[in-house]
Structure formats: C-alpha cells, structure tokens
Amino acid sequence: MRYIETFKEKETITGIYFCKQKATALSKTGKEYASIVLQDKTGNVDGKIWNLGSAGIREFDEKNYVYIRAEVTVFNGALQLNISEVRVAEEGTYNESDYLPTSSKDIEEMYRELIGSLKKVSNPHLQALNKMFFVDDVKFVKEFKRHSAAKRVHHGFVGGLLEHTLGVVKLCETIADRYSYLNRDLLITAAAFHDIGKVYELSDFPDNDYTDAGQLLGHIVMGCELIGNAVKELPGFPKVLERQLKHCIVAHHGEFEYGSPKKPALAEALALHYADDLDAKLETFKEAISTPVGQSGEWVEFNKMLDSNIRKTII
Amino acid sequence: MRYIETFKEKETITGIYFCKQKATALSKTGKEYASIVLQDKTGNVDGKIWNLGSAGIREFDEKNYVYIRAEVTVFNGALQLNISEVRVAEEGTYNESDYLPTSSKDIEEMYRELIGSLKKVSNPHLQALNKMFFVDDVKFVKEFKRHSAAKRVHHGFVGGLLEHTLGVVKLCETIADRYSYLNRDLLITAAAFHDIGKVYELSDFPDNDYTDAGQLLGHIVMGCELIGNAVKELPGFPKVLERQLKHCIVAHHGEFEYGSPKKPALAEALALHYADDLDAKLETFKEAISTPVGQSGEWVEFNKMLDSNIRKTII
Amino acid sequence: MRYIETFKEKETITGIYFCKQKATALSKTGKEYASIVLQDKTGNVDGKIWNLGSAGIREFDEKNYVYIRAEVTVFNGALQLNISEVRVAEEGTYNESDYLPTSSKDIEEMYRELIGSLKKVSNPHLQALNKMFFVDDVKFVKEFKRHSAAKRVHHGFVGGLLEHTLGVVKLCETIADRYSYLNRDLLITAAAFHDIGKVYELSDFPDNDYTDAGQLLGHIVMGCELIGNAVKELPGFPKVLERQLKHCIVAHHGEFEYGSPKKPALAEALALHYADDLDAKLETFKEAISTPVGQSGEWVEFNKMLDSNIRKTII
Amino acid sequence: MRYIETFKEKETITGIYFCKQKATALSKTGKEYASIVLQDKTGNVDGKIWNLGSAGIREFDEKNYVYIRAEVTVFNGALQLNISEVRVAEEGTYNESDYLPTSSKDIEEMYRELIGSLKKVSNPHLQALNKMFFVDDVKFVKEFKRHSAAKRVHHGFVGGLLEHTLGVVKLCETIADRYSYLNRDLLITAAAFHDIGKVYELSDFPDNDYTDAGQLLGHIVMGCELIGNAVKELPGFPKVLERQLKHCIVAHHGEFEYGSPKKPALAEALALHYADDLDAKLETFKEAISTPVGQSGEWVEFNKMLDSNIRKTII
Amino acid sequence: MRYIETFKEKETITGIYFCKQKATALSKTGKEYASIVLQDKTGNVDGKIWNLGSAGIREFDEKNYVYIRAEVTVFNGALQLNISEVRVAEEGTYNESDYLPTSSKDIEEMYRELIGSLKKVSNPHLQALNKMFFVDDVKFVKEFKRHSAAKRVHHGFVGGLLEHTLGVVKLCETIADRYSYLNRDLLITAAAFHDIGKVYELSDFPDNDYTDAGQLLGHIVMGCELIGNAVKELPGFPKVLERQLKHCIVAHHGEFEYGSPKKPALAEALALHYADDLDAKLETFKEAISTPVGQSGEWVEFNKMLDSNIRKTII
Amino acid sequence: MRYIETFKEKETITGIYFCKQKATALSKTGKEYASIVLQDKTGNVDGKIWNLGSAGIREFDEKNYVYIRAEVTVFNGALQLNISEVRVAEEGTYNESDYLPTSSKDIEEMYRELIGSLKKVSNPHLQALNKMFFVDDVKFVKEFKRHSAAKRVHHGFVGGLLEHTLGVVKLCETIADRYSYLNRDLLITAAAFHDIGKVYELSDFPDNDYTDAGQLLGHIVMGCELIGNAVKELPGFPKVLERQLKHCIVAHHGEFEYGSPKKPALAEALALHYADDLDAKLETFKEAISTPVGQSGEWVEFNKMLDSNIRKTII
C-alpha cells in the first residue's frame, strides 16, 4: 500500500485509508462539499470532495475504512487530496495493522509476563484487586492490551500501555529486590495500576485521541476513582492500604508541574515515579533515534521531551 | 483565663488547657516521665511531668481538657512547663471557645445564607446533589459548619470552611450575573462543593490537623470521590454534568504548582478559581493586618502568603 | 463586502480596505514597486503594486481607505494581493465599522454606567479626580471610549478599554460590598484609573498598535504619571492618598513577571488585581470559544493566554 | 566606645547610643514601661525601662542620642538591655560616625569626580538636566551625597548612593568608549540618574529605612516622576529623549522579577543594567569577604545575594 | 561512651571525642582562650577552654582524639562545653567507629560485588580503565572504600561512596538487561566512575567536608579530568569512547540546575542519571524515616530533599 | 555574485557556492538522485540533482566550492534548487569571504591588542601559560584567530572568537583598575582563556558547526581540560592558582541554567561573568539593530536572546 507520508504533490493516489473525521460545509457559491481526514499508521492528510453528487462518490461515515481515488494538491503549504472517488472498503481488503502503529513486541506474551509478576503479590487484598482487573474483567483486559500509553510522545501505539506498564512493573521488581525496606506487594500493584486511567483518558484505536473525560479529569483522578469503586466490592480491604495505593497513583508524576496533586510521601510512590519516568524516557529516546535522520549527520535534532540534542551511541 | 501566648519564664500557671498530645518516655536515669502538649486558642506549649507518681498527678488522656499547675521554664530557647499537678477538668468548668479560634460571624446565619443561594440552582440534578449534601446529610452538615478551611494560613477557625465557602458562592453569584455566558447553576454548585474534601482532609477541632488521608490524597481528589459516590445514588444524573462539576473541583487551584492536576478548561472552572483565590487572599490580608503590630510602625512585616510587605490603608 | 479572512488563492477581489502600511522598494531589475498592508476587521493581507505607473494606480497614502482591484496569489505560503487598480475611497462609500472590530455593547450606555459608579465615590478628593478625567476632559473621554484594551489578547476592539474598565469597576463594587474592611472609594477610583495609560500606550484605531512611549514605558508607568500630573492641579489632595492610588496602579498586574514593579501591599490593590485579571480572563475565554471551531469537535485548541485546551460547557 | 555587637550577657553597659524606636506599654501588673531600640554602626539592641519613675530616667524621644546605663540580659535567645539610667546626650559628647556606617571613600572627592563625568555630556538638554539636579539643587545634592544605596545588601552606608552612582557612571564611560554605537550622553546621564529615586525611597540616616512612598511605589517609578517633573521646566527638551532616558531608569533592573516593568529595549538601557549590576555585585562580594570569618577556614558561608559559598582569592 | 546528641544542660561530661576544629582568641579582658569543636558520630558541640594555663589543660591539636572533662552550658540557645581538662587520648583507648558514621553494610563484600560487576564489562578499553582504577590503584581503592558520597544529604558515612556506587551499578545492570538498545559496557563503566570525583571533592573522614578544589570545581569536572588523565596512559583508547564516557559523567545530574553542564544526549547518560537519582532518593527516604520521630505521630516533618512530608508505609 | 538570500521562485541561478552537505537517495521510481546544501555568507539553500547521469553533472564532494546552474522552485513552502549543472570551482574563481561572514575589525590588529594586554600580566606562572597558548602554539593561534564565538547568536563570524575575547579582556582591565581588591593577573588571564574550548567545540569555517565533542562535553569542560594539560608542562605552577583559574572558566556562565556547573565563588570569576555577558549582549544588540528592518517602523521584532522588542536609539 502507498503510505501517506510518501505522498507528493501532483500524484494520483488510489487505495484504502481510515477516515478519521468527516464533515460537510458550504462553498462560497453555496454548494455543499465534504471535508475529511484520512489516516494510516504513517500520518494524516486532509481531503476535499468538491462534487458530492458525482458517480464516484458513495455513502460512507466517519471511522470507516474507505477506498479513494484522489489528486495530491498543495493548499496553504500542506498536502491536500482532491477526491474524485470514495466508497466504504470491504472487510478483508485491508489490513488493520497498516493503519495503526503497533508494538514491536508480542502482546499476548507481554500480558503473560505481567500476570506472572502479579501472581507473586502475596498480600491477599492486593492479590484480589489485581485479579479483579487484570484477569477477571475480560472487557478491561481487552482494552488494556490494545491501548496506547499516549497520543504521541512515547508508547503511542497498539499495545503501548501494556508494554509501558510491564516495563514499569519489571523495574519495580528489581527495585523492590535491592531496596528491601520497600513493600514489594504495594509497589508491584501500584506499578500495574499506575496508568489504568489511560484506558478511558484516550479513545480506542484507530482514533487514539483524548476523550472528553480525559481532558477534564485526567488519568490520575480517573485511575483513583477506578480503584475506589473496585475496592468497595472487596470486603475487608484495609482503608489505609487503599489510601496508600491511591497515593502511589496520585503522586506518580512526581511533581506538581507534571500534574500530580501530591508529591510522593511514601517510598513506594517515590520508587514508582522513577520507574515510570525511566521507562517513558528510555522509550522516548529509542523512538527518537529510530527515526531516519537522513544525510545530515548522526545527531538528531533537538528533542523537546528530552530537552536536548541527542544521538546514538557509537561503539 | 490565662492564655498561653502570655506565659513568661519563671511564672506559676494554674488553669485548664486542652491536652493535644501525650506520651511517656524514659529519662536517662531510667525513670518514666510524661511529655504533653497543651493548647488554647492562642497557641501551644510543651509540658513535662517528671514525677508521675506524685500526689498531684491524676489519670488523664490525650484530647482531655486538663487542669494543671506548673512552673514556666525555658528549654532550648522555648518555653516549657514543669507540671506538678494535673487532673481531668470537669465539664462546665471551662469554655470550649477559649480553646478554639472561632469565626466572628454567626454560623447558623451563614448556613442559612448558603442554603438560600443553593435554592436558586434550578437544574434538577444539581439541585438534588446540593440537597443531598447540604440539607439531608445531617452528619455532614454538622461537620461542615464546624470545620476550618485550613490548618493555618486563612479561615483556620471553627466555621472557617463555611465562611470561605459562602464567600466564594456569593462572589460566583455576582460573576454569573455579570458574565452571562457562564452557566450559573454549575458555577454555584461547584462553588459550594469546591472544598468539601477539607471536611476529611483536616481533623475536627480542637485538633484541626491534616489527616492521613488528607496528606496522602488531598482535598481535591477526596472531593471528586465524594461527588462520584453521591452521583451514583442520583438516577439520571448526566455523565457530562458530573464530569464538568468534577473538573471544576479538580481545577480550582488554577495551576499545577498549587496542586490542581488540570488547569481550568471550562469558563466556570476559571471563574471558580478566581473567586476562591480572591476570598482566600482577602481573608489572609485581613488576618495579617489584624495582628497587633506593636510600636514598629504601620507596616506589617513580610507576609509569605501574599509575598509582600503589607499595611493597612490610610484614609 | 468581501472580508479578508475569506480570500482564496486565484480569486479576483474588488472593494474598499484600510491601508495600514505603505512603502516603496526597488525590484531586482531596478524598478520601483509599492508594498502595502490592507486591513479590515477580520484581518490583514499584504499587497504588491508592481506597476506603479499604470493607469489604474492613483495617489493614496498610508491610513487611507482605498478601493482596490487585485488577484489573490500565494507567496511563501501566505496570501498576497497582486494589485492592478487602487484609488482613495470616497467618504460615505464605506462603513468604518467593517474595518474596526467593535464592542458588542453600546458604548454610550457603558459610559453612563461607569459615570454612575463613579458618582457614588464620596471622598471629595477622589471625586474631583474622577470628574477631572472622566467628565471634564472631553478629549480624554472621547479617546477613552474609543480605545481598545489591548492590541490582541482580549478586548482588542473599539470600546474595549471602556468595556474592560466598567467590568472591573462593577466587580470591585461587589467586592467592596462583601469585604467591608476595604476602602470603597479608593478601590472604585483605582479600578476606573487602572488602565488609563493604555489610551497612550496604544495608538488610535484603526491602527491600534503599541506606540513608542507604550513600548518604552508601558501603561503602568504612564498611568502613574497621568495621575501625578492631575493631582498637582487639585489643591489639598492628600499626599498619602495620591501614593495609595498610584500604588494600586503600580501593583495591579499582581506579579513582577507580569510587569508590576511592586506587589500589592494594600488590600485594595490586591482586590483590584483580582478583578482586573478575572475580567480579562473571562473575556479571553469568551472570545476563544466564540471562534468558529469547525468540524473537529467541541474542544478549542490550546489557548496560550489560558495555558490550557478549553471548551464550551455542555448543559 | 563600646559597640553593640560586642555586648555579652551579664555585662553592665554605660555609653551613648542612637534611640531608633521608643514606645510604652503596660506590664501584666498594669504598670507602664518603655520599650526602646538602640543603634550604633555595628547593630541594634532592644532595651526595656521597667521603672519609668525612677530617678535615673529622664525625658528623651525617639531619634535622640541617649546616654544609658544598663544590664545585658537574654530574653527569648536574644540580648536585651535592662536600663536603669537614660538621658539625652549633649551634642559634642558623641561622634555621629560611630552610629552611622560611612563610605571609606571621600565624599567630596567622589562628588567632584561625578561632576567631572557629567561635564563631558555634550547634548545641551541632558547637560541642563544634569546641572539642574547635581549642581543647582543644593538640597538634593546634600541628600544625594549623604544617602545610602540600600537598607542592607550593598552600599548601605552614608555616601553609599554617591559611591555606587559614581561606580556605575565610570563603568558606563568605559563601555561607551569601547562600544561606539552607544549614545554616550544618554548612557552617562542615565547612569547618573538611575537610582535618584532612592533619595526618597529610603529615609535619611541614621534611620535609613524604607519610606512609605518607597514601599508603595519604589525608586524606579519615583525616579521617572522626578525626571518627568524636571523636564517640564526645561523648554525644548525633546519628548523622545525624555522617553528614552526614562526607559533607561524603568529597565535598569534588567528583569521583571527584579522589579523592572520593562526589559531593556535600547542598547543604553542594556548597558546601564549591566554596569549597575556589576558594581552592586562586586561591592556585595567585597563586603562579604571583609567580614571577619573566624577560625572556621577561609570560605565564607553561603552568601544569599551571590547565591554561592565564596572566598577570598589566594595568590 | 556518652554520645554528643544526648548531652543535657548542667551535666558533667568525661570522655574521648574527635577535635574537629581548634582556634585561640582573646577575651574582652585580654586573656587568651581556646575555642574548639568536638565531634562523634552523633553530632558536633562547641567547647571553650577559658583557662589555658590550668593544670588539666595539656597540649593537643586539631584532628586529635582528645579526652575531656567539661560542664554542659547553654549559650545563645545552643549547648556549649566549659572544658576544665583536656589531653590527647592514647590510641587503643577509643574506637574510631564511635566517631564516624559508617555504612551498615560490609565494605569488603560490597567491594567484591562491585568488582564482580566490572569484570563482566567486555570492551577491552573499558575493562582496562576499570582495572586501572578499581583494582590496580591501591591508594585510590582504599580511599574510595572509605569515602562518603556526601557531606550530609545521603550516604554521608564511611563506605557511603562505595555503597551508592554499587547501588547505581546494580540498577544499571538491570536497566541494560531490559532496554537492550543500551550499550551495557559503557553504562556499567559510567556507573562505576560517575562519582569518583567525590574522593577529592570531600576530605577524608573524620573531617568529611568540602575541599577547596571541591568547592571551586566540583566532582563532575574533577571526575572528567581523572578519566582524561588515565586514558592518556591507555594506548589505543578510542577518542569517541573517551568522550562518551566523559559525557555520561558530565550529564549525570540530569539538569543544568543540579550542576550538569550538559543534559543527557546519549541513552546511557540518561539511564545513569535516573539510576543515580533513584538510589540517592531512596537512601534519603530511608535515612529520613529511620530518624526517631517521637510522639508526634507517624508522619516525618517536611523533608527538604524530597520536598514533601513523608511517612513509613503501613501494611 | 548573486547571494542566496536574494533568490526568488522561478529564477535561473548560475554561480559558485560552498557545498555544505551532500547525500544520495533513491526516488520512488528507484532512481538515484543527489540532495545537497549550498551555502554563502547570507544563508543556505537545499538543492536536488535529479538526473545524476546527465552531461552537466560532474564529480564533486561535500565541502567543495561548486559552480552550479539551477532553477529556483518552491517545495513545502521553502526555496529549492533544481540543479542541471554542477562542477568543482577552480581556486581563484571565487572569493572565500563571500562565503564566510567575517569580523568587520582587522584580525591582526585585534591579535596585537590582545597580546599587548597579556604582556601586562606579571605573575610569572600566568605569564608562561599565556605565552604557551597565545604566542608559542602557532597552530592554536591560527585557529583561535579564525574561529567564531558561536554558531549563531553573536560573534558568529570569522574572527568572532578573537573579537569577543578581546572585548572581554578590555572590559576586565577597566574593572580591575576600578575595583582594586580584584587580582588583575588572574582576571585578565581568565578573560583570555574563558572561551578557548570553543576552538574545539565548533568546527572550522566554512562549516562552523558544533563538533561531536562540543555537543557531548561543551567548551567549559573542554577549556578546563586544555588548561589542566598545559599546566602539567609548566613546572612549579601553583596548584591553588590552577584551581582558581579553572574555577573562573567553570563559573563564567554565571548560572547553572546557562551551563556553569559552579556559580562564581571568587570575585574574579564574578567579574569575568559580567564582562563576558555584557560583551555578548551588546554585540547581540548591535547585530539585531543592524538587520535591515524594512518599512514596518523603527522597532525590531521580538529578539529572543534579549527577551524584548528592541529599537535603535533616536538622538
């Protein structure tokens, strides 16, 4: 298939793309036209259907996969498609993975590894809570496996939330081993739950965008609420344990300026914050140096998240 | 009664004080002694009971009002009481208001004024929510009326939470009148609920200190949870309305650095933030210039909350 | 009339626009051409007159309203007009309000409301000062009514300074009512005067740009000077009152980083700062959600002034 | 004479000190006593006169030089004088310089050097302005020579304002020589005027404290106003020159956070800022390493103004 | 032995302490006296020898262990010893470990563990460098084992530098295992070398204070120089490898504001920064909650390094 | 010659330019093409050679001066050359100074002035060090004279490093004269050496870009190392003098956030910081107001380095 990032002015494109947005508007002459956004895993492009009544233009909706024929033009410095044909693509004629960035790791294997780590949690209350979410709630598990950990930035792909969560859990296991004064069960459980709010902060793929609730409340507050509601169904769950687990969620961004309403006040919250940040930053770094840099030398331009020019290590 | 802030070295004090803390320890010679903290509305003082077995020392517990006889000494530059007599004070022999700072306004009148404002909320869902907390929940109402809005800083007295909440509600009424694009019902309700988490973030008077949950989660997260749990019992409460109300709570500190995990994204959240901040700062200012300043001139020394030297206006 | 924000590449435009800037330059071939900027209330556009000697090109000056005929082209990604005809437009053939953004409120009515508030100031010195500026100084009143409160950002339209000033005065009235320890006369007068420096910090419409003095000194220092000069003509005006009024002007941005050389040290200065900021931010919010957002959903993109994504409230 | 910084507990002190503050109060037994603050050039000490009616206690006022006899006691960890005798000291029996920190340089010589620099200003308008303040206004010159440049921090002594101003002027002369695109006349005049507001921001010695106007407006706004008023009396003084000179005053702190309402927008304002900061910081450094450091090694403890531990250079 | 932190006013102390500082001064009556600072592993105390000529006072020097007899007094709110006898203590009569805070872990075992990790470095150049410092340089190894990682803050005890270095190396091993795109040899070597400059930034125990070079240059610049000098003696050490290793040292504080002149630009530098910070913060947390907190509840007061109130986790 | 900044769409360009970068790539049709960057002293432009095999295309390499013939096109809003002919230009047919921005001052004269200042350093050790670098090391002197002081920002031209260094040395001479407690020899030597690391932090002209070492270590660490290595060859150079000189280099950016790992702790380091900053900022200002501003008025748009709008002074 022809990927959007390779489109060039004046080409004719035919192929199937995911229709992310669709809207109609009136032109200056009073004629209705459609404005759509097409997406594949390499990016987005705007398209216009000027002649809605023409033969090639069939019914389709936002969030459909559509076959199109279009000319690539330039408008205000950006590429734009002039669409002459469009119709809903039949299932089986396209491969979803071409439209969604996806983890390079095996999702089921990562899930098994996560479950393996959670099984070692021996506190019965935390064990019950872990089972409730990560084993018994089939709908949650399905969404958790498929979600990204971010719209952009890092782990912004199918399986990204699972990959990031597993990375944090594994780091926390090492930390708990080495700093024995930490409570292992609390730390591992907090690691597993720290970003579960993201399942509802971001919409499903292929959309993968902030939801209304995500923008208004954020995954920290949403994650706390998920835990609070769950614990009500677990008789005998100690109040102080619930509060400590929520604190780890509340404080895991480490600083007010990164959206944590409390700074880490428990050692496990502090450790979780570092593990989360380390996994996120090392993935950000990896993604940044994986981008093809072209002929301009080995240094990657200034990376905003890492606040530095960076480059691959030479050995 | 003799207030703690007037104690001087070498005096003998007799009177009734609130015992805020009590603990026993071993002296270097292996003898047990008691270490206590006494409180009245003007401050705290440490006390030691070196001879626990002597005749004047009777049974008493932390959080009792106690009659004491003691010498005022100085230890490490601070006053300390050497207690020779102590016993639980009989009810009726002391006046609770001597031990608790209290609002200068009438609590019941403020409460009526608040209810009056809430009755004007016409959205039926918000009306039901307001009634559930501020009218029907007798236990909550009792605690809400008695609570402070802070340990120190501003409104740190009995009735302070009500006084501050009412101040914010009244400001929001004016704002809603003047900026007509705002949703009045949402704004007034958010104003009433913005600090309800403080009922559980701070313990009751005379203690008035941060609770464990208050330190770990804070009143923003706790307030959201209270609303979330209540809404579950109100059939038909719109999801988006719940979310918007919670957002006003979440964002009311206005900035990440003041502990809001989200910045105001709705106009009502923005207005609430300003009303909250204005009421708090004008009360802080009033308290600061009410402190007797002595003979050093009309300027009050640097005020940390207001980040400036300040003075009363001269007319 | 055809508004500038609706221009599209390759169109031919005929109509009257305000000529904001005009300059001549030499092309590479040594031929003189003119470079102008045209404005209406929806925006600006650059224009070039390549053939100054042709028949359609008549005399005109910067700050004239001009009739033009032109082709819309694109240069370096921005629209540009290729002008083939231009002449000064006759008065009466255009409507100034098409070229100037204007308050949606009635200017005379707002002015009467402001005067009404000022009449309630009972301190004779402040009363005299208010009258001197807002009633007796006809030239000042005319400019004050017509000015914007900003080049961009908020209230950037004819009548904007009056609308903002009135908003702040009305908020301060409520605040003075509710926080009775404040000095009402000082607060209302300070509210009326807080931005008068803007009359000279920004040039008149349709230009509405920073003046040289505005850039070098700013409206805070300029406003202080205006008050200082006026008070010299008011016998018996108390020194300390002048100083306190000036302090309210000096401190009304609230923070050093927003250009106030002093932080609020009087309660009235603090109250004024909040009223000013609240009115400005609620207007900024209103303007931002009034912008047509298109088909991409209800959220407005990141707003720099408000430092957040924002959206209209849904009820 | 016995300096205050050498007082020790239990000593008896007799001698003459400057009475900075005086107030009377009631003791707990209802008896009137006096509370005073004594000062010499090494510091301040509190004193109490418990027996106002005793023979040794004569009439005296705040701001008098007084002879006292007193015991040194300790109260709340600070030294305090128990005064048994006090009377106004006769002129001639004390040396004002013992009570005022004074510049180590000759004031008249510094003044001549300053005048010498100002005479080289050739712009007739600036020349006239310089003469008006620094030559013709005898009262101003007297106060300018005697003033400090600060309450504490740096140049906090008699002649300090002159010494600092001269230091800045001389640095600006070098800078103007070396960076020839700068306007020498504007830069030198701005350097001479940059801190003149301090003559009224700080009270005269021996008080040397912030005035009410100083706290409310600050020396930047006050300096601008002084220039504005003076220029009115200089016919033909160009508006743009006045504005540029004022801008140099307005921007000389260099950053909003240091109280400049504008950042330097002219090269002369930028140069002035650096010269001012450099002279202030090098004097701060000199004063800090001149303090006797004792036996704890050559490093001086953390200096807050310089934000570092510092030490004398070893050669 | 009687530890300094248990001293109380009016006690008589006899015992051996480390003399950290010694100086002589003149009293007001012109008599010479000595001022010393005594230290054990629990703290410091000032002492005065008023009567230098008395029989009990023998010769001794700074940095000696001395036997003393003294009365505990209070001066300016702090304890002070009035020393009547002092003499150099004979070796064998005191135990150095009573005077030095020491790691709770076995130093030789930690060293073996570190060497074990370094042996797994397979790059021959890095292997040679590791061997040069951590095996062959006997003097360096001895100092490295004995040094602290800080004057205060965390790991401020004998063996602290080794304990911290080992902690960082072990974390980096895990990180290298999990994030396979990292260069393991570079990361482990950088972890071992990251704080070697501290061997010269801080003086040896029992002094453990900043050296002159430490204050002027800091351990980052000093560590780079140590590596640069060593590499000169290792033929064929690749330039780019040296530069990358130094970069890891240079950037390991992660932010300019913590004294790194460069931000991490290599993934190994980023990983090292997190491992260093995590080990330091978890040790800081552990030390803070190990401090006996007394009867005021389980929360530890505000911890400046962690920027929060903290408490032990309750399970 | 035709400068790059004057290129316009659709022109045909013939002339000689410096080839800064060159790379080959495959087009979508699998055909190889070349992508190059051409440079002259006014800027850069991308060029494409689509038909590598055509007659006009000869052999050439990166860093060659090349003669080209090309059409100017626009791609993604930027100019791009469509190159039809290219060959290596013969020496003598172009003037290097057209391709390199160069100091407006005479390099040899500036060098003589610098040497003159260094000769006045009387400390024999510092004298020897100065001679070693600035006189005896012919290769260093040649590079030092030719280097810029920055890639962009200020003094970004041939001779810029020398011009900036001389400016700082001359300012330091004045400062040493006026603040006599400073050590003149140390200050002047530190001024001469403060940026020598830039000789290796930036590559030679015409490239003038950050080197790998420059990005990883920076000129502060590199400058320290250069001094450290040199001092080893100067017998008897005092340790403390070396350390103090290095400290001046280490601290000369003045703040952590500008990349100094230490704040100035010696007065000479503080003075050097101000002299460096002043020279850099006044040059930045000069360059900014030298840029032709066009017809939009005398104000220059917001300058990021100076953090302000700026303008030329009007006299």
Side-chain angles (χ1 to χ4, degrees), chain D residues 5-251:
Chain D
E5 70 175 8
T6 70
F7 288 6
K8 295 260 165 6
E9 195 179 352
K10 293 185 190 164
E11 290 185 317
T12 300
I13 301 295
T14 60
I16 297 172
Y17 299 91
F18 176 72
C19 174
K20 188 162 190 169
Q21 294 170 10
K22 182 190 170 191
T24 54
L26 283 191
S27 72
K28 284 168 297 179
T29 61
K31 199 176 158 190
E32 203 178 51
Y33 69 95
S35 200
I36 70 178
V37 177
L38 297 176
Q39 175 186 293
D40 68 17
K41 75 178 184 186
T42 70
N44 296 329
V45 67
D46 288 324
K48 301 289 174 196
I49 309 173
W50 298 113
N51 198 349
L52 284 170
S54 79
I57 306 303
R58 307 285 172 75
E59 287 285 305
F60 71 100
D61 286 323
E62 212 169 277
K63 315 291 182 196
N64 285 166
Y65 287 86
V66 292
Y67 167 89
I68 58 130
R69 164 181 290 270
E71 302 296 307
V72 183
T73 62
V74 170
F75 182 71
N76 281 345
L79 295 185
Q80 191 179 74
L81 299 186
N82 227 322
I83 299 171
S84 52
E85 294 179 32
V86 60
R87 64 166 193 274
V88 175
E90 290 165 56
E91 269 193 43
T93 62
Y94 57 90
N95 201 333
E96 204 194 31
S97 66
D98 287 335
Y99 303 90
L100 310 180
T102 304
S103 172
S104 63
K105 296 184 179 161
D106 184 84
I107 287 179
E108 289 310 319
E109 197 176 312
M110 289 194 290
Y111 175 65
R112 278 191 300 273
E113 205 178 348
L114 177 65
I115 296 302
S117 291
L118 292 180
K119 280 201 176 139
K120 289 182 213 142
V121 170
S122 59
N123 177 295
H125 304 292
L126 295 174
Q127 205 178 55
L129 184 68
N130 284 326
K131 186 162 169 294
M132 188 174 170
F133 275 81
F134 291 101
V135 178
D136 297 347
D137 188 338
V138 179
K139 185 163 169 295
F140 172 81
V141 170
K142 195 181 156 197
E143 285 178 321
F144 180 77
K145 282 178 183 172
R146 189 181 156 88
H147 243 76
S148 77
K151 184 177 166 189
R152 272 184 293 261
V153 187
H154 70 92
H155 295 96
F157 42 73
V158 173
L161 179 56
L162 171 56
E163 185 175 331
H164 171 57
T165 300
L166 181 60
V168 175
V169 165
K170 300 310 279 183
L171 280 171
C172 285
E173 287 187 334
T174 307
I175 293 168
D177 289 348
R178 185 110 202 136
Y179 302 88
S180 56
Y181 76 95
L182 296 173
N183 183 287
R184 200 182 199 284
D185 288 353
L186 177 60
L187 179 55
I188 302 306
T189 305
F193 278 85
H194 83 284
D195 268 351
I196 58 164
K198 285 194 175 171
V199 172
Y200 311 104
E201 186 189 38
L202 293 158
S203 56
D204 281 348
F205 278 102
D207 199 44
N208 191 39
D209 206 348
Y210 286 103
T211 61
D212 193 62
Q215 296 237 50
L216 289 176
L217 303 177
H219 69 274
I220 281 187
V221 169
M222 294 162 89
C224 268
E225 191 164 26
L226 288 168
I227 291 172
N229 288 338
V231 159
K232 287 202 192 87
E233 301 172 28
L234 294 173
F237 201 103
K239 271 285 152 208
V240 72
L241 185 58
E242 175 186 353
R243 205 186 287 153
Q244 291 179 146
L245 178 59
K246 280 180 181 170
H247 173 72
C248 292
I249 311 305
V250 158

Side-chain angles (χ1 to χ4, degrees), chain E residues 213-225:
Chain E
Q215 296 236 50
L216 290 175
L217 304 178
H219 68 273
I220 281 187
V221 169
M222 294 162 90
C224 267
E225 192 163 25

Side-chain angles (χ1 to χ4, degrees), chain D residues 179 181 268 279 282 313-314, chain F residues 179 181 244 268 279 282 313:
Chain D
Y179 302 88
Y181 76 95
E268 292 77 15
D279 185 75
L282 284 181
T313 301
I314 304 166
Chain F
Y179 302 88
Y181 76 96
Q244 292 179 144
E268 291 77 15
D279 185 75
L282 285 180
T313 300

Side-chain angles (χ1 to χ4, degrees), chain B residues 179 181 244 268 279 282 313, chain C residues 179 181 268 279 282 313-314:
Chain B
Y179 302 88
Y181 76 95
Q244 292 180 144
E268 292 77 14
D279 184 75
L282 283 181
T313 300
Chain C
Y179 302 87
Y181 77 96
E268 292 77 15
D279 185 74
L282 285 181
T313 301
I314 304 166

Side-chain angles (χ1 to χ4, degrees), chain B residues 218-277:
Chain B
H219 68 274
I220 281 187
V221 168
M222 293 162 89
C224 268
E225 192 164 25
L226 287 168
I227 291 172
N229 288 338
V231 160
K232 286 203 193 87
E233 301 172 28
L234 294 172
F237 201 103
K239 270 286 154 208
V240 73
L241 184 58
E242 175 185 355
R243 205 186 286 152
Q244 292 180 144
L245 178 60
K246 281 180 181 170
H247 173 72
C248 292
I249 310 306
V250 158
H252 85 267
H253 284 187
E255 301 284 344
F256 293 143
E257 66 195 273
Y258 300 130
S260 266
K262 284 283 173 186
K263 299 254 314 172
L266 303 174
E268 292 77 14
L270 188 69
L272 172 61
H273 161 56
Y274 275 95
D276 175 38
D277 209 8

